[in-house]
Amino acid sequence: MALPLKYNFRNVLVRWRATLATILGIALVVAVYVLVQALAVGLEKSAGNTGDPRNVMIVRKGATAESSSQVSLAQFQTIRYWPQVAHDENGAPLISADVITLISQPRIDGRGEANVSVRGLTPLGRQLRPQVKLVAGRWFTPGQREVAVSEKMARRFTGFHVGDTFHTAGNDLTVVGEFDGGNSAFDSEVWMDADEARSLFDRENYSSLLVRVTGPTAAQELLARVESDKRLPLRAEAEVKYYGDQTATALPIRILGNFLATAMSVGAVFAAMNTMYASVGARTREIGTLRVLGFRRRSVLAGFILEGALLAAIGGVLGCLLSLPLDGYSTGTMSFNSFSETVFEFRITPWLATKGMIFSIVVGVIGSLLPALRASRLPVIAALKSV
Amino acid sequence: MVAETIVKIRELTKIYAQGEIQVTALDHITLDIAAGEFLALMGPSGSGKSTLLHIIAGVDRPTSGECLVQGVDVTKLNETQLADWRNQNVGFIFQTFNLIPVLTAAENVELPLLLTQLDRRQRRQQVEMALEVVGLGDRAKHLPRQLSGGQEQRVAIARALVTDPKLIVADEPTGNLDSHSAQEVLTALQSLRRDAGKTIIMVTHDPKAAAFGTRQIHLEKGELSA
């Protein structure tokens, strides 16, 4: 029979002065762990939120990102008349040829400049990305040196608010609108007319094609046709999969998070161990009494491990609470795929908080293992005689 | 009618090793204790009386000899068996009360019952009854620090008798009490023997406390004296 839970719980509370530092230490470790993982989750969610299951993305074979891809005008003209391509109510093929280029723009906080992705879209491009909504001003007009900027990018870079003008590639571009990308990768972009972008940035070719297919079978047929057509050195894949594969940027963040958490958890384990050793030392006679009353060694062992886990769990809850205010906070990093600023939000999901709690409990269990073993192995007589 | 022998000790020896030196705490002790006795075990410090009490109660092990309690040779039981045996057969009272500070009086008394098959309602009834016996029914929800020394020791007595063991061992139960509280505790022990038929073995330095017993024995350098 185990020791009553209230015994362990009250002991943690009664010794709150001694346990507070440990609880705070564990809370800090858990908060760091949760926040760094929340960055990775946010980044992955941003990529995961992008794309429409009805769309197929076509890029140059071997290109790892749109920015390093080229699709010629002739290839665009060939593909747009394929039967797999869906048509709008006016009979126009639902296909957008996009131009992706990078510009360097000063950050609003004065921390230098960073690359920003500019996407040039043909007129149907917006229709193929319905999740992107205009929130201020208007959309750019084809043939004009106008852009619409993601509102999240407008908050991070100078000259990106409606009415602003910024200089790039020897020309001035006017911001005429701000859009919300719906927490997708488009939140990290500036949009303009594709042909204006080709002219402005001196591009002969497009970067990618986005095609709305007539159905799932058509999607498979299109993928197979692009793959088998020797005239087309292109690669096609579902838009959702294409962006899903772009989550590699999150990997270094995950590794950093795990490294930081592991390094810090060593300190937290020692803090927990110290607290639990002190607790065992202060309660030696109590342990002797419990043993005399009939509680077995393993009950004492389990009781002290439970107490360490409880202590750490309080730290874990506190750590999760400390990290919560940053949930939804927008931040950015350089994407290793596009080499441009990628905007995303800290995402503290229930599963992430659960992982934080599991992490804290593991720290508590490891930290209390040796003190608990010591408690359970105390000779009864010596324990009873302890002052 | 001849009272049943509840404790039967034969040639019990306990030798401690203190570094290089061997200390004989008990030297071939032979002793019978009858059921319903209130035995006062007396002797100077280091005479071996607490060691004898601990062996009878299954807390310590002898170097040689036999110690049968209610027919069970406790020297032959392993660690786990001893823990269970203590819980079912012996009530303990300590000089320093040894209550768990974070548990209330009732929760302290309930501790030994957590190792039994009783359900929560049955345990509560037993606890209430035990606290009533020692006159602390109204202090059930008090923490040990909210009680006087005498009250704490009475809670400890309630904890010792809550599992209804035949044998209660008390190690200097009045050592930390004023004379009034000591009187209360000894009277309570006396009535446990008289009214409930418990066998009580009490270690004490105090001849006045020993006088509450039905028999007094003395230990001197690990041997029984007159």
Side-chain angles (χ1 to χ4, degrees):
Chain A
M1 175 77 184
L3 288 166
L5 198 58
K6 59 193 166 197
Y7 167 71
N8 303 107
F9 189 69
R10 286 182 201 165
N11 265 306
V12 171
L13 294 184
V14 160
R15 287 165 222 281
W16 69 270
R17 283 186 187 84
T19 54
L20 189 63
T22 305
I23 288 173
L24 289 178
I26 292 170
L28 189 68
V29 176
V30 171
V32 168
Y33 173 79
V34 169
L35 283 176
V36 179
Q37 297 297 328
L39 275 177
V41 170
L43 202 54
E44 286 167 354
K45 270 198 183 293
S46 165
N49 280 343
T50 312
D52 187 310
R54 298 167 297 174
N55 292 348
V56 169
M57 171 81 94
I58 299 173
V59 291
R60 181 173 60 83
K61 211 167 243 174
T64 53
E66 284 180 275
S67 55
S68 59
S69 162
Q70 289 196 50
V71 179
S72 69
L73 195 62
Q75 289 164 344
F76 170 44
Q77 294 297 353
T78 302
I79 293 171
R80 71 187 303 210
Y81 296 110
W82 282 2
Q84 291 83 10
V85 179
H87 293 77
D88 68 4
E89 60 274 17
N90 301 318
L94 281 169
I95 181 167
S96 172
D98 295 355
V99 177
I100 296 287
T101 190
L102 301 180
I103 62 169
S104 187
Q105 195 69 7
R107 291 179 194 274
I108 222 160
D109 57 10
R111 289 191 299 118
E113 296 187 344
N115 286 342
V116 173
S117 278
V118 175
R119 180 183 294 275
L121 308 92
T122 45
L124 286 168
R126 288 205 320 269
Q127 201 177 323
L128 293 175
R129 299 173 175 95
Q131 72 193 109
V132 180
K133 308 265 191 248
L134 191 71
V135 291
R138 60 174 173 79
W139 286 111
F140 53 86
T141 309
Q144 299 293 316
R145 297 269 151 107
E146 293 175 350
V147 298
V149 178
S150 134
E151 58 175 348
K152 285 180 180 162
M153 294 300 269
R155 288 199 291 265
R156 300 178 67 82
F157 289 91
T158 58
F160 272 4
H161 284 295
V162 175
D164 289 347
T165 299
F166 62 93
H167 194 76
T168 188
N171 284 277
D172 286 332
L173 290 173
T174 304
V175 179
V176 294
E178 286 181 26
F179 62 80
D180 174 8
N183 290 324
S184 69
F186 304 126
D187 276 325
S188 308
E189 295 183 350
V190 172
W191 282 9
M192 65 184 295
D193 175 57
D195 290 331
E196 274 306 304
R198 285 173 61 214
S199 155
L200 183 67
F201 299 108
D202 201 17
R203 295 288 181 89
E204 192 184 332
N205 295 321
Y206 296 104
S207 303
S208 64
L209 302 179
L210 187 65
V211 181
R212 173 69 51 81
V213 289
T214 51
T217 314
Q220 292 307 314
E221 286 171 8
L222 185 71
L223 260 59
R225 188 165 178 183
V226 169
E227 183 64 34
S228 60
D229 194 328
K230 300 296 177 197
R231 295 171 303 162
L232 300 172
L234 301 175
R235 174 172 64 94
E237 63 182 325
E239 187 189 19
V240 173
K241 182 175 184 305
Y242 173 84
Y243 281 103
D245 290 345
Q246 302 291 306
T247 56
T249 303
L251 186 64
I253 296 177
R254 279 207 186 278
I255 293 171
L256 172 73
N258 289 336
F259 174 75
L260 268 179
T262 306
M264 290 177 76
S265 67
V266 173
V269 162
F270 277 106
M273 198 180 287
N274 193 38
T275 304
M276 292 308 292
Y277 265 128
S279 190
V280 169
R283 286 150 63 191
T284 303
R285 191 195 290 166
E286 225 172 277
I287 295 163
T289 306
L290 292 169
R291 294 288 314 285
V292 165
L293 293 179
F295 286 92
R296 296 178 185 177
R297 282 182 194 275
R298 64 172 183 233
S299 300
V300 174
L301 178 78
F304 275 86
I305 289 176
L306 186 72
E307 200 167 310
L310 198 61
L311 177 84
I314 295 172
V317 170
L318 195 62
C320 289
L321 290 176
L322 282 174
S323 63
L324 267 185
L326 280 174
D327 184 35
Y329 179 80
S330 180
T331 186
T333 186
M334 207 268 290
S335 162
F336 291 103
N337 291 307
S338 64
F339 293 101
S340 63
E341 183 93 340
T342 299
V343 184
F344 58 98
E345 293 175 345
F346 281 86
R347 280 280 167 226
I348 299 169
T349 58
W351 170 234
L352 190 51
T354 307
K355 274 166 71 177
M357 288 304 299
I358 293 170
F359 179 73
S360 70
I361 290 168
V362 168
V363 163
V365 168
I366 294 173
S368 59
L369 200 58
L370 289 177
L373 269 173
R374 182 179 169 180
S376 69
R377 289 178 178 172
L378 281 172
V380 180
I381 300 285
L384 284 175
K385 286 178 180 167
S386 160
V387 179
Chain B
M1 188 178 125
V2 178
E4 164 203 3
T5 300
I6 190 167
V7 179
K8 192 173 175 183
I9 293 167
R10 293 291 176 268
E11 295 291 316
L12 201 69
T13 298
K14 175 75 181 181
I15 300 170
Y16 290 110
Q18 281 186 343
E20 302 280 298
I21 305 164
Q22 303 269 301
V23 178
T24 305
L26 296 174
D27 192 3
H28 297 91
I29 300 280
T30 293
L31 174 70
D32 285 337
I33 302 169
E37 261 196 284
F38 184 167
L39 181 73
L41 208 51
M42 297 187 72
S45 291
S47 60
K49 55 190 187 302
S50 287
T51 304
L52 179 59
L53 188 80
H54 288 148
I55 292 172
I56 294 170
V59 177
D60 203 354
R61 290 176 185 281
T63 308
S64 64
E66 273 186 355
C67 178
L68 282 87
V69 182
Q70 294 179 86
V72 175
D73 188 350
V74 293
T75 66
K76 302 278 193 296
L77 301 179
N78 66 29
E79 188 88 26
T80 307
Q81 289 169 327
L82 264 183
D84 295 344
W85 179 84
R86 282 196 300 267
N87 176 256
Q88 291 154 18
N89 296 284
V90 189
F92 291 85
I93 302 166
F94 306 92
Q95 180 177 353
T96 47
F97 324 135
N98 291 25
L99 299 179
I100 307 298
V102 296
L103 300 182
T104 64
E107 288 164 348
N108 265 287
V109 174
E110 190 188 13
L111 271 177
L113 294 179
L114 295 174
L115 300 165
T116 66
Q117 301 296 320
L118 299 180
D119 62 30
R120 181 183 292 228
R121 190 183 54 81
Q122 290 169 318
R123 292 202 303 265
R124 198 173 57 234
Q125 280 176 352
Q126 295 272 91
V127 168
E128 282 170 7
M129 205 184 303
L131 282 171
E132 286 299 334
V133 167
V134 296
L136 289 174
D138 57 340
R139 295 284 191 275
K141 291 189 176 163
H142 286 58
L143 289 168
R145 62 183 153 79
Q146 296 167 319
L147 301 170
S148 69
Q151 288 173 328
E152 279 193 80
Q153 194 60 299
R154 277 150 62 199
V155 173
I157 294 172
R159 182 178 64 187
L161 61 88
V162 74
T163 52
D164 195 27
K166 287 207 168 88
L167 180 64
I168 292 177
V169 298
D171 193 355
E172 301 272 12
T174 57
N176 275 18
L177 299 177
D178 60 66
S179 58
H180 175 72
S181 300
Q183 180 83 20
E184 278 181 354
V185 165
L186 290 165
T187 307
L189 289 177
Q190 210 172 36
S191 65
L192 281 180
R193 184 200 75 82
R194 191 182 54 238
D195 305 332
K198 304 292 180 198
T199 304
I200 297 166
I201 307 173
M202 176 177 72
V203 162
T204 183
H205 276 104
D206 181 5
K208 283 185 193 164
F212 279 78
T214 53
R215 178 160 68 121
Q216 299 172 14
I217 59 170
H218 293 258
L219 270 171
E220 189 99 34
K221 292 180 182 170
E223 293 178 11
L224 286 175
S225 58

